[in-house]
Amino acid sequence: MSKIKPRVKVPRKAKAGEAVTIKTLISHSMESGQRKDKKTGDLIPRKIINKFVAFYNGETVFSADLEPAVAANPYIQFSVKLSEPGTMRFEWTDDDGSTYDVEKKIKVA
Amino acid sequence: MEMTRRDLFALAAGLAAVGLINVPADASTDELQAAIEKFAGGTPKTGGVEITAPEIAENGNTVPIEVDAPGAASILVLAAGNPRPGVATFHFSKMSAESRGATRIRLAKTQEVVAVAKMADGSTTMARREIKVTIGGCGG
Amino acid sequence: MKRFIALCAVGLLTLSVSDAVADEDAELVMDGQKFVTKLKAPEGSPFDEIISGWRFRNAETQALQTDDFENPAMIFAQYGEDLWEEVDGAAGKSCADCHGDASESMKGLRAVMPKWHEGKKTLMTLEDHINWSREEHMKAKPWKWESQEMLAMTAYISLQSRGMPVAVKTDGPAAEWHAKGKELYYQRVGQLDIACAHCHENNFGNMIRADHLSQGQMNGFPTYRLKWQGMGSIHRRFSGCMKNIRATPYKRGSDEFTALELYLASRGNGLSVEAPSLRN
């Protein structure tokens, strides 16, 4: 897909210490490097999102290292418990070095 | 007609070349073992990590899985029957509510998915789960 | 029919009664809205009941469609929403400039596609309508049928009809196309010499190797197929089916596929539009 779009599902409010589920999705073909070009027979080079990191107020809360065996349009879900209000930042890193990120504020009471 | 072993291999290679038979390239058990040992630094005990996945995946291209290992610092997910065993590694923190992560993976064929959980003290545990995979299907 | 049985015997097609791999009794409810996925068939239908493709998928696949965040098809609908606002073409307009809020202007459109176009005096699919507007009003280049942009836009527009009953017209100028589509549906083609009907009418609910055969309804399109790891159009699906039976497929946007699309859509009149849906 020409536009690589990340999406996240984060609650706007959360109770301190309560488990909160975070869902993330990014549109990306996750080209495995194993497919062959039908016309030339050459291998299509690998190009995947190889890393996903979630930060809360600058601190890493969760991360995932991804291999080509992760399905296209990678979906990642995890849970956190927060003690103070702040900003969650999500960062995806492509094999080619580009990064995509999204920020969401969460009110914690 | 008597077929020598050489004939049989030549036939198989020929058929594979024209795509008439599928000769899947597996992750060798060595590669799988090496991946487990690299992460665990030894042989993990069985237990301590749960793999949630469908019994039969509707399509090997997108199989939803979830791994859960109470108290783990990280979980490594491997696919024993894929060309390469590596799938993903989840890393948790003090702010994780649970040591649990979910994603969708590609499985080349019916195989075992392996999850290795590593605790903060370096000890590891492991679980395996077979997922039946249907590949192909109709409609292009 | 004899030839078909012979083919089965040779093992080229393996049909067997499915053991519940799909949750065929499941109801599709999203955010409290009930979708019609099973209905008494309309008058003249070869079926007793018409059933959405959703019902033939396994529980995990069905569940993926019920959550707008988890359904990967929605990424495409979101891209379509962005494109709706984007200016494109020499006229310096976006879709929004003329059509305003899509949830109002596009409501119900997908449910009646394909339909007769008075201006062009022909039957047109949603893709045709989009490209006609692009060329005519935006002075923009038409999008390729299977391009990410076209898929995104059809997904977004289809979303505006989600939950509404399929209601294509088959009378008036559409009647000729409907008849042609019906003819194509029952026509044997390809090396395997079978017609759409052999699988989707005579054998829906059965397994064809590892695939659970559906009735081949249109209400879910455009759809995200796990197999394609992406979005695809109706004509792509038709094309794939024809290739599977070793027939040379008609082209996307061809009169044949357009007629077939109309005939198939009419067989599903009454089912809820589920697009953009998730399938196997």
Side-chain angles (χ1 to χ4, degrees):
Chain A
M1 193 160 183
S2 47
K3 288 224 170 153
I4 294 175
K5 281 180 101 50
R7 308 171 88 196
V8 298
K9 193 168 187 185
V10 174
R12 294 232 183 94
K13 292 191 274 196
K15 280 210 194 106
E18 196 182 55
V20 165
T21 303
I22 310 283
K23 299 181 181 186
T24 72
L25 196 59
I26 183 167
S27 59
H28 194 285
S29 61
M30 297 292 278
E31 193 57 67
S32 67
Q34 306 219 332
R35 293 198 314 150
K36 285 199 179 143
D37 185 313
K38 281 190 186 141
K39 289 187 186 138
T40 65
D42 297 330
L43 277 177
I44 303 171
R46 167 187 148 150
K47 188 174 185 295
I48 67 165
I49 296 286
N50 59 49
K51 197 165 177 77
F52 167 78
V53 187
F55 305 92
Y56 193 66
N57 292 337
E59 222 182 294
T60 304
V61 300
F62 174 84
S63 73
D65 305 312
L66 310 178
E67 302 275 357
V70 172
N73 303 315
Y75 171 80
I76 299 175
Q77 181 185 315
F78 57 99
S79 63
V80 292
K81 53 181 197 290
L82 310 167
S83 52
E84 50 176 2
T87 305
M88 193 162 276
R89 190 168 79 83
F90 307 89
E91 189 181 82
W92 292 260
T93 308
D94 192 307
D95 275 344
D96 69 8
S98 16
T99 57
Y100 306 93
D101 71 307
V102 168
E103 270 185 19
K104 287 282 180 197
K105 285 197 173 53
I106 309 180
K107 285 201 186 107
V108 179
Chain B
M1 167 199 142
E2 258 226 73
M3 252 211 161
T4 63
R5 271 213 305 187
R6 190 183 296 181
D7 292 341
L8 185 61
F9 278 117
L11 177 64
L15 287 174
V18 296
L20 280 175
I21 63 168
N22 194 24
V23 183
D26 263 59
S28 65
T29 6
D30 290 338
E31 241 188 294
L32 181 72
Q33 275 309 116
I36 296 172
E37 273 173 30
K38 182 170 176 212
F39 179 75
T43 311
K45 289 191 298 221
T46 306
V49 47
E50 208 182 295
I51 304 172
T52 307
E55 218 182 285
I56 306 174
E58 186 133 46
N59 192 286
N61 276 335
T62 311
V63 185
I65 65 151
E66 189 175 64
V67 288
D68 185 9
S74 55
I75 305 176
L76 169 70
V77 180
L78 301 165
N82 272 358
R84 314 291 301 281
V87 179
T89 312
F90 295 130
H91 303 278
F92 308 101
S93 73
K94 282 187 267 93
M95 277 196 260
S96 298
E98 293 169 296
S99 295
R100 186 203 284 249
T103 186
R104 296 169 190 161
I105 68 175
R106 291 167 169 154
L107 295 176
K109 57 181 187 167
T110 294
Q111 61 185 284
E112 279 189 325
V113 167
V114 178
V116 185
K118 194 193 286 185
M119 305 295 140
D121 64 5
S123 64
T124 57
T125 56
M126 180 168 93
R128 304 174 85 108
R129 174 141 173 181
E130 189 187 71
I131 302 177
K132 291 198 186 19
V133 172
T134 57
I135 299 278
C138 298
Chain C
M1 197 56 195
K2 250 195 217 162
R3 198 179 309 180
F4 182 60
I5 295 170
L7 280 176
C8 290
V10 171
L12 280 173
L13 302 169
T14 310
L15 300 170
S16 62
V17 176
S18 89
D19 41 350
V21 289
D23 193 354
E24 285 187 42
D25 294 318
E27 290 292 338
L28 176 57
V29 182
M30 284 180 65
D31 289 330
Q33 179 185 28
K34 267 200 187 151
F35 282 70
V36 177
T37 54
K38 199 176 210 182
L39 189 64
K40 186 165 174 297
E43 200 55 47
S45 169
F47 300 124
D48 292 324
E49 278 180 321
I50 50 175
I51 308 169
S52 165
W54 182 80
R55 290 225 179 195
F56 295 93
R57 309 281 50 98
N58 76 9
E60 286 86 9
T61 309
Q62 287 180 328
L64 272 180
Q65 189 180 306
T66 59
D67 183 319
D68 269 353
F69 183 85
E70 298 204 20
N71 180 357
M74 292 304 288
I75 316 174
F76 287 80
Q78 189 165 44
Y79 183 33
E81 190 175 9
D82 294 339
L83 289 169
W84 183 262
E85 306 284 339
E86 231 174 73
V87 167
D88 198 6
K93 292 197 187 142
S94 68
C95 310
D97 284 329
C98 293
H99 293 289
D101 187 346
S103 64
E104 284 171 20
S105 58
M106 298 289 113
K107 191 176 164 77
L109 190 64
R110 172 76 192 90
V112 299
M113 285 291 176
K115 73 179 175 93
W116 182 257
H117 192 275
E118 250 331 297
K120 294 279 241 176
K121 294 273 184 271
T122 187
L123 198 80
M124 295 196 350
T125 67
L126 183 56
E127 290 89 343
D128 290 325
H129 278 88
I130 291 167
N131 273 340
W132 171 75
S133 231
R134 283 180 64 77
E135 288 181 287
E136 203 50 39
H137 305 131
M138 291 165 77
K139 305 286 183 237
K141 280 208 201 98
W143 282 328
K144 282 211 172 106
W145 203 272
E146 216 67 46
S147 63
Q148 298 296 302
E149 286 70 31
M150 182 58 92
L151 291 166
M153 187 54 75
T154 52
Y156 180 57
I157 292 176
S158 301
L159 178 62
Q160 312 313 321
S161 294
R162 192 167 67 175
M164 296 176 68
V166 175
V168 296
K169 277 170 74 72
T170 57
D171 54 3
E176 197 189 316
W177 292 79
H178 185 255
K180 178 69 181 171
K182 182 171 179 176
E183 193 189 303
L184 287 164
Y185 187 79
Y186 289 101
Q187 187 174 75
R188 288 175 178 274
V189 287
Q191 280 189 325
L192 296 191
D193 200 39
I194 57 178
C196 314
H198 290 113
C199 287
H200 292 288
E201 188 173 300
N202 303 355
N203 284 291
F204 72 89
N206 291 341
M207 299 299 286
I208 180 164
R209 290 218 184 133
D211 219 348
H212 193 198
L213 279 171
S214 71
Q215 286 185 344
Q217 300 288 357
M218 301 282 95
N219 62 316
F221 283 93
T223 186
Y224 186 99
R225 279 195 87 192
L226 299 180
K227 179 180 204 255
W228 295 333
Q229 287 186 95
M231 209 75 181
S233 68
I234 294 172
H235 295 194
R236 175 179 180 177
R237 192 70 178 75
F238 288 166
S239 186
C241 270
M242 288 186 79
K243 285 186 198 163
N244 283 158
I245 54 182
R246 308 289 188 267
T248 306
Y250 299 110
K251 295 243 181 295
R252 288 173 176 57
S254 60
D255 285 352
E256 288 88 354
F257 275 173
T258 303
L260 186 59
E261 186 184 320
L262 176 66
Y263 176 66
L264 279 170
S266 73
R267 282 160 70 105
N269 271 347
L271 288 173
S272 301
V273 172
E274 284 175 37
S277 69
L278 187 93
R279 298 284 187 259
N280 65 324

